[in-house]
């Protein structure tokens, strides 16, 4: 099984509905998916919602398919809310097609005109999802990694060699401030050239930050 994180820009009519909600909102992120019923077109989730400067949750305008169930917590302009979404009748058929053999995961949310969705499943189901996604939006970025289901998930974004060098860099103080080792010294320790170390670190850092900041 693999985990796939997709970032996409939505097509109408979804883009129009979401755009209405984002007049006063900066972003939302899924904290926990409470319920998803594809046959009846119902989703219930706990969301973190960040309002724009000068607005409160009272100013939030959700499109008709969604309704605010309750506000659980507020911290300045950031709110934790329970939201229910009922797919419109005209979109229920498409919604049901997303009933695939997949585990819906985080990050999942919307910010800066970009919808982020994350799923875990076998390659065949991931390919089916890609076909459906292309009907509702244009893929801007995609991240695929092994689904290891443990604390090493972030490192699963890296190749074996990248992972080895990043871990060595951490252990020997390359990321300390001030650094306890430079790239040339790190290269000696791992037995490759300085140029190779720098290249592996650059690519590894790009992959790690891409996965870490997916959805932002």
């Amino acid at each position: 099984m693999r985990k796939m994180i997709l970032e996409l820009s939505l097509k109408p009519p979804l883009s129009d509905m979401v755009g209405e909600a984002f007049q006063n909102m900066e972003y939302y992120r899924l904290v926990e998916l409470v319920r998803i019923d594809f046959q009846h077109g119902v989703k219930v989730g706990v969301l973190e919602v960040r309002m724009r400067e000068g607005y409160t949750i009272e100013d939030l305008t959700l499109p008709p398919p969604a309704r605010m169930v309750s506000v659980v917590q507020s911290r300045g302009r950031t709110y934790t809310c329970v939201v229910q979404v009922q797919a419109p009748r005209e979109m229920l058929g498409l919604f049901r097609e997303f009933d695939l053999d997949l585990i819906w995961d985080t990050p999942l949310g919307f910010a800066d005109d970009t919808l982020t969705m994350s799923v875990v499943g076998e390659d065949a189901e991931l390919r089916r999802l890609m076909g459906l996604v292309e009907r509702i939006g244009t893929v801007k970025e995609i991240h695929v990694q092994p689904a290891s289901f443990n604390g090493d998930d972030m490192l699963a974004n890296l190749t074996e060699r990248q992972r080895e060098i990043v871990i060595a860099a951490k252990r020997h103080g390359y990321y300390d401030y001030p650094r306890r080792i430079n790239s040339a010294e790190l290269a000696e320790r791992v037995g490759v050239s300085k140029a190779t170390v720098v290249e592996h670190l650059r690519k590894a850092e790009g992959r790690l930050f891409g996965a870490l900041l997916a959805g932002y």
Side-chain angles (χ1 to χ4, degrees):
M1 299 182 76
R2 296 201 290 174
K3 178 173 181 175
M4 181 169 69
I5 304 173
L6 293 171
E7 297 182 8
L8 61 149
S9 55
L10 295 175
K11 300 176 182 177
L14 287 178
S15 59
D16 298 331
M17 290 191 297
V18 173
E20 179 182 350
F22 272 74
Q23 292 177 0
N24 303 328
M25 186 198 308
E26 286 187 7
Y27 68 78
Y28 78 79
R29 297 193 190 100
L30 178 71
V31 176
E32 183 176 353
L33 185 61
V34 178
R35 179 190 177 204
I36 184 164
D37 182 343
F38 287 102
Q39 291 306 306
H40 295 90
V42 177
K43 290 192 296 185
V44 180
V46 179
L47 305 181
E48 178 185 282
V49 177
R50 176 76 169 178
M51 301 301 294
R52 297 188 186 278
E53 188 73 45
Y55 295 94
T56 71
I57 199 67
E58 301 297 328
D59 302 306
L60 179 62
T61 304
L62 293 175
R67 70 178 183 91
M68 182 74 66
V69 177
S70 64
V71 178
V72 179
Q73 186 180 47
S74 63
R75 303 179 306 281
R77 292 186 288 122
T78 303
Y79 301 83
T80 302
C81 313
V82 178
V83 174
Q84 176 178 314
V85 178
Q86 174 66 63
R89 180 176 300 178
E90 63 271 19
M91 296 185 64
L92 187 56
L94 176 61
F95 193 88
R96 287 172 175 167
E97 291 187 51
F98 279 82
D99 189 8
L100 304 173
D101 188 13
L102 296 169
I103 300 169
W104 292 84
D105 201 2
T106 56
L108 190 155
F110 193 92
D112 299 326
D113 299 321
T114 298
L115 173 67
T116 301
M117 61 173 62
S118 305
V119 294
V120 176
E122 301 292 348
D123 287 354
E125 293 296 282
L126 296 179
R127 286 193 294 269
R128 289 180 63 190
L129 176 65
M130 286 295 299
L132 291 172
V133 162
E134 290 173 355
R135 293 165 58 183
I136 66 170
T138 302
V139 176
K140 300 167 65 175
E141 199 163 342
I142 180 171
H143 305 274
V144 180
Q145 62 195 61
S148 55
F149 303 104
N150 59 43
D152 296 327
D153 278 351
M154 189 63 69
L155 294 182
N157 289 280
L158 309 181
T159 66
E160 183 176 350
R161 192 55 167 156
Q162 288 170 354
R163 186 160 53 245
E164 175 188 341
I165 291 177
V166 164
I167 291 173
K170 172 64 172 63
R171 287 175 177 169
H172 295 301
Y174 179 82
Y175 291 111
D176 289 356
Y177 184 79
R179 282 180 173 164
R180 293 189 287 112
I181 189 173
N182 60 34
S183 56
E185 294 166 330
L186 178 61
E188 289 184 15
R189 288 182 178 268
V190 297
V192 297
S193 69
K194 175 183 174 181
T196 299
V197 158
V198 171
E199 180 68 7
H200 278 305
L201 288 176
R202 183 185 65 79
K203 290 182 177 179
E205 290 162 1
R207 288 189 178 190
L208 289 173
F209 275 98
L212 178 64
L213 299 177
Y216 288 82

